[in-house]
Amino acid sequence: MLKKEVEKILQYVQKPGRYSGGELNSVIKDPEKVDIRYAFCFPDTYEIGMSHLGMKILYGLVNERDDAWCERVFAPALDMEELMRKNNIPLFALESGDYIKNFDLIGFTLQYELSYTNILNMLDLAGVPLFSKDRTELAPLVCVGGPCACSPEPIADFCDLVFLGDGEESTNQVLDLLKECKHAGKSKQYFLSKAKDIRGVYVPSFYVDSYNNDGTLKELKPINGAPEKVKKAVVSDMNSVYYPKSFVVPFIEIVHDRAVEEIFRGCIRGCRFCQAGFIYRPIREKSVETINEQAKALIKSTGYDEVSLCSLSTSDHSRVNEMLTSLIDWTVKEKINLSLPSLRVDNFSDELADKLNKVRKSGLTFAPEAGTQRMRDVINKNVTEEEVMRTCNKAFDNGWTTVKLYFMMGLPTETMEDIEGIADLGMKVVEAFATNPNKQKGTSVQVSISCSSFIPKPFTPFQWEPEDSMESLRAKQKHLLESIPTKKIKVSYHETPTSLLEGVLARGDRRLSAVLYDAFKNGCKFDSWDEQFKFDVWMEAFMKNGIDPYFYTQRRRDFSEVLPWDHLDYGITRKFLERENIKAHENVTTPHCRIKCAGCGANMLNGGHCDARNKN
C-alpha cells in the first residue's frame, strides 16, 4: 500500500507505474507475521531492474518462506528523487510502501560497475548510513551480490556482506542466521562472526588491506577467524534448485518484457575476455523436461506471449535440437514466440536454422568479437571467417535480411589492421547477401556492427593486461568509420570516458571507496547514462584522494602481483589463467571444454563434477 505522501507526488512524475506496485504476481504479506523483511534493490530504474532474472529468482525464493518477505526497490528516476527529497520521503519498497530503513536486510545486485554511485544514492535516500562501520545495530544489514561481487573491494567499506556465486542456498542460510540472531538479541558483530562461515559469504570488515611503496596491494589480511580464501557458492543440480513458477508482470513496458527460462549456467568456451564465461563455471545444464515444464508454468502464470531462453550460449546446450523441437511443439500451437539469444556462428546448423524458421523471424545476432583471425585466436574465440560466412549464408537462405555483429575494440595486441578487419568482415556479409541465389527478390540486407570498448576484468586471462587509452580508442573508432564503404552497414560504439571509470572500478582496491563517496557527494549517479555521466567530477574525486585512475587501467600487472580479488575463490586457478594469458600472446587457442578439459579447476568447487567434462 502506497503511503499518502507518495500518492500525492506520483501525479507529478513521468511513469508513475514505476513506483505504484500492485502488479500481477507481486507478493503481499502481513508484516506482523514475518520475522525477516528483505529489500531487494536494483540500482537502476524500474524498467531495467524488472528485466533482471536474478531478482526474479531470489524474490520468489525468499517469498516461498513463511517467515520472510522480500520486496522490490528500484532507483527512482531524477524527477521522482527530486520530489522525494523535497518532501522528505525516504526510499520505500513497492509491495508495502514501507520505508526500507526499517527492514532487516537491504540487498543490492551488482550487474555493472557504473551503478555503484546509485547504491550510495539509494542508501542516502533511504536514510541509512552509507559506511558499514556507522551501522552498529544488527539491522539493517547491507549486502551485495551478482557478477561484480567477484571484485567488490571498491565498495567494500559500504557493505556488511558480499554474496559470491549462486545465491539460492546461501541466501536462505543467511536469513536463517539473521532470524536466529534477531530472536536471541545478538549483536551485529556476532552475526558477522557466524556469517563468515557460510559458503559464498564474504565479510569485508574481517579483512585489513595494506599496500607496497609502489602503490600495489601488499595483502588483505583476514582477522576475527575469517578464511584466507572465501569460496563462491555453487548450485550443483539445476533441475532441483528453486526456479520461480511466476514472475511479477509490470504495468508499464520494461526492457525485456517476457518470460525467461534459464537453460544452463556456465560456459564451455573459454573466451579470454569474458568474465561471465569463467565466474559462472562449472557448466550445469537443466534437462529438456525441466526446461519445458518451467517455461510452460511461466507462460501460464504471467500471460506472456514470448519466452526467452537464457544462458551464455544457447546453442551450446548439449541437447539443443531436442530442446528446441519440444519447445516449438507447444509454443507454435499456443502462438508463443520463442526467443533464442546468444547463438554462436560455429554451431548454427541447418537443423537449427530449420527450427528457428518455425518461430517468429527477427534479426540474427552473432558475436565474432574481432575482425581478423589472428585477433580471434588471441581472445580464444575459436570461430573462423568461413564459419561466419557459412552461417550468414544459411540465414540468408532461410529468409533473414538483418544481421547484427558484435565486436570489441582495444583488445590486447590489437592493431589498426585488426580494426580494418571489422569493416572487411561486415562488407563480406553484405556481398554474401548480394550474391545469395536464394534471397527474396526486392530485399536488401542491413548489417549492424556494434563495437564495445574492451575492459580487462578479474578472473579472466586478461586480468593482468593494460586497458586501451581513451585517445587510442577514439582513433580506432574514427578509423573504423572511415573503413566502412557502404550505407548497408551501420556502426555503433560506446563512449570512452565511461570505459575508463568502469576499468578503474572493475580492478580497483579498497582505497576507491573514498573516491566513490566523494563522487557521489558531488552529484554523481546514473553513471552508465551518457547524459548523466560527470567525468570532471570523478577526476576531481580521484585527485582529492591522491589516486591516479590510470594506475588501475593502463598498467600491466606482473603475474607475481597480489590482486584485490585474490582472496576470493571462484574455482578458476591462477595458474590456468596465467597459462591462457601466455597462449594469448602467442596467438594460440585452447579447445572448448567438450573437446578437451583445460583443467581450469572450477569443477573442484562442485565435488569434481562439471557437465562439460568428458564422462567417458
Side-chain angles (χ1 to χ4, degrees):
M1 287 288 293
L2 283 178
K3 296 192 183 320
K4 283 192 171 64
E5 55 266 36
V6 176
E7 279 187 11
K8 282 179 186 172
I9 65 172
L10 285 190
Q11 62 183 309
Y12 302 111
V13 300
Q14 286 187 336
K15 301 188 180 178
R18 289 167 165 165
Y19 316 106
S20 60
E23 308 100 319
L24 176 69
N25 297 330
S26 57
V27 177
I28 305 299
K29 296 189 178 185
D30 183 345
E32 301 300 319
K33 293 181 179 174
V34 295
D35 296 289
I36 301 293
R37 297 193 68 179
Y38 183 6
F40 194 115
C41 304
F42 194 97
D44 214 318
T45 58
Y46 179 92
E47 293 93 319
I48 296 169
M50 279 293 289
S51 303
H52 176 234
L53 180 59
M55 173 178 262
K56 299 174 200 286
I57 292 173
L58 291 176
Y59 178 82
L61 176 91
V62 175
N63 284 324
E64 287 271 299
R65 300 172 60 124
D66 293 330
D67 60 354
W69 186 11
C70 182
E71 302 183 54
R72 296 162 297 136
V73 185
F74 302 96
L78 300 179
D79 58 345
M80 180 67 170
E81 184 194 336
E82 185 182 349
L83 287 169
M84 288 171 70
R85 290 194 184 275
K86 188 176 173 183
N87 292 279
N88 296 314
I89 298 170
L91 190 63
F92 56 90
L94 290 191
E95 278 70 12
S96 65
D98 291 341
Y99 303 137
I100 68 168
K101 63 183 176 184
N102 301 318
F103 282 39
D104 299 289
L105 200 60
I106 299 173
F108 290 91
T109 180
L110 307 181
Q111 294 300 306
Y112 30 86
E113 291 86 356
L114 297 181
S115 68
Y116 290 174
T117 49
N118 277 14
I119 294 173
L120 300 193
N121 193 47
M122 290 171 78
L123 288 173
D124 184 66
L125 193 55
V128 173
L130 301 189
F131 287 94
S132 172
K133 63 182 170 56
D134 297 329
R135 298 188 298 269
T136 54
E137 301 300 315
L138 179 60
L141 288 161
V142 174
C143 60
V144 298
C148 295
C150 74
S151 178
E153 292 308 297
I155 55 163
D157 287 349
F158 310 108
C159 309
D160 298 310
L161 301 175
V162 179
F163 285 93
L164 308 178
D166 300 329
E168 285 93 341
E169 290 166 11
S170 50
T171 295
N172 274 328
Q173 290 172 286
V174 166
L175 293 180
D176 289 341
L177 176 63
L178 183 53
K179 177 183 171 182
E180 180 189 315
C181 290
K182 192 178 172 185
H183 283 298
K186 298 292 187 182
S187 67
K188 175 181 176 180
Q189 195 67 9
Y190 176 87
F191 167 83
L192 293 177
S193 72
K194 296 296 182 187
K196 76 176 184 338
D197 298 326
I198 296 172
R199 176 159 168 184
V201 173
Y202 165 50
V203 180
S205 61
F206 287 1
Y207 295 78
V208 179
D209 56 334
S210 60
Y211 299 88
N212 298 307
N213 290 334
D214 63 359
T216 57
L217 181 65
K218 185 176 182 181
E219 68 172 337
L220 268 166
K221 186 178 179 181
I223 58 173
N224 300 338
E228 293 269 342
K229 284 235 179 197
V230 186
K231 286 185 188 301
K232 78 165 182 173
V234 175
V235 165
S236 294
D237 184 3
M238 291 297 290
N239 290 312
S240 61
V241 72
Y242 173 82
Y243 198 76
K245 292 183 173 64
S246 68
F247 289 169
V248 178
V249 182
F251 288 137
I252 64 172
E253 189 176 341
I254 61 174
V255 176
H256 299 302
D257 206 0
R258 58 200 178 204
V260 181
E261 171 58 16
E262 184 182 23
I263 62 173
F264 68 89
R265 279 184 199 168
C267 185
I268 64 173
R269 296 290 168 173
C271 299
R272 292 173 182 137
F273 59 85
C274 180
Q275 185 181 56
F278 292 106
I279 65 171
Y280 290 123
R281 290 185 179 198
I283 319 299
R284 292 143 293 150
E285 288 187 350
K286 284 181 186 173
S287 69
V288 171
E289 295 73 25
T290 300
I291 291 165
N292 272 283
E293 183 185 311
Q294 292 179 348
K296 283 177 182 175
L298 285 173
I299 291 296
K300 186 177 179 183
S301 67
T302 61
Y304 277 123
D305 61 0
E306 180 176 0
V307 60
S308 175
L309 302 184
C310 175
S311 72
L312 291 174
S313 181
T314 302
S315 47
D316 278 337
H317 192 285
S318 62
R319 295 164 65 192
V320 61
N321 289 320
E322 181 189 342
M323 175 182 69
L324 291 180
T325 299
S326 59
L327 284 166
I328 287 165
D329 279 349
W330 64 269
T331 53
V332 169
K333 278 179 203 162
E334 296 180 29
K335 295 185 169 54
I336 305 297
N337 183 43
L338 186 61
S339 175
L340 303 175
S342 310
L343 296 173
R344 280 186 60 96
V345 296
D346 57 338
N347 56 11
F348 188 83
S349 61
D350 289 320
E351 193 174 356
L352 185 54
D354 184 56
K355 299 267 190 298
L356 290 174
N357 256 333
K358 292 188 171 77
V359 301
R360 192 172 75 198
K361 243 190 208 76
S362 54
L364 278 180
T365 301
F366 297 108
E369 307 293 2
T372 63
Q373 194 58 50
R374 184 198 71 82
M375 200 71 245
R376 286 192 290 274
D377 290 345
V378 167
I379 63 176
N380 203 46
K381 187 65 187 177
N382 280 321
V383 163
T384 64
E385 185 176 296
E386 290 72 30
E387 285 168 331
V388 174
M389 299 316 301
R390 188 164 63 244
T391 295
C392 288
N393 275 313
K394 263 179 207 160
F396 299 150
D397 285 344
N398 285 278
W400 274 277
T401 57
T402 59
V403 175
K404 187 165 191 178
L405 301 173
Y406 280 109
F407 294 92
M408 280 182 299
M409 231 178 230
L411 290 160
T413 77
E414 184 178 74
T415 66
M416 284 300 186
E417 190 179 322
D418 298 310
I419 298 301
E420 290 162 20
I422 295 173
D424 292 344
L425 191 56
M427 228 12 253
K428 283 173 183 171
V429 174
V430 170
E431 288 162 2
F433 182 86
T435 57
N436 187 288
N438 301 316
K439 70 175 186 286
Q440 294 176 359
K441 283 184 181 174
T443 58
S444 64
V445 70
Q446 183 63 61
V447 176
S448 296
I449 287 176
S450 177
C451 259
S452 60
S453 302
F454 168 68
I455 295 163
K457 292 288 175 90
F459 296 105
T460 70
F462 291 153
Q463 64 182 6
W464 294 279
E465 296 293 326
E467 183 179 328
D468 212 354
S469 69
M470 289 191 287
E471 295 74 23
S472 173
L473 284 168
R474 286 195 192 105
K476 287 173 180 177
Q477 289 164 352
K478 182 171 180 282
H479 190 62
L480 175 61
L481 291 175
E482 289 168 349
S483 302
I484 301 286
T486 172
K487 289 182 178 174
K488 289 178 179 175
I489 300 175
K490 279 189 197 165
V491 177
S492 61
Y493 50 79
H494 294 175
E495 292 302 314
T496 55
T498 54
S499 298
L500 169 67
L501 180 59
E502 187 181 336
V504 172
L505 295 174
R507 293 189 290 173
D509 51 54
R510 204 168 285 195
R511 292 173 295 189
L512 292 176
S513 289
V515 178
L516 194 54
Y517 177 75
D518 284 334
F520 153 70
K521 292 300 279 184
N522 287 307
C524 290
K525 56 192 168 190
F526 289 108
D527 292 307
S528 59
W529 300 22
D530 288 341
E531 66 273 20
Q532 292 301 321
F533 184 59
K534 299 179 174 71
F535 183 69
D536 293 343
V537 176
W538 273 102
M539 290 300 108
E540 285 167 18
F542 282 114
M543 192 179 298
K544 180 187 169 186
N545 289 282
I547 288 176
D548 176 8
Y550 299 104
F551 174 79
Y552 297 99
T553 58
Q554 291 186 11
R555 180 175 61 86
R556 181 179 301 283
R557 290 145 179 81
D558 192 83
F559 284 160
S560 62
E561 182 175 330
V562 176
L563 302 173
W565 50 91
D566 277 347
H567 60 304
L568 308 180
D569 184 359
Y570 270 73
I572 312 298
T573 67
R574 192 182 176 105
K575 283 292 174 198
F576 166 76
L577 294 176
E578 288 177 8
R579 285 199 308 270
E580 285 295 297
N581 181 284
I582 292 165
K583 287 170 80 171
H585 284 278
E586 294 170 347
N587 304 346
V588 174
T589 60
T590 298
H592 70 66
C593 302
R594 290 205 182 108
I595 294 174
K596 185 183 179 186
C597 175
C600 73
N603 64 302
M604 299 316 295
L605 284 183
N606 198 29
H609 175 65
C610 175
D611 279 352
R613 284 166 71 86
N614 192 329
K615 295 173 181 64
N616 297 330

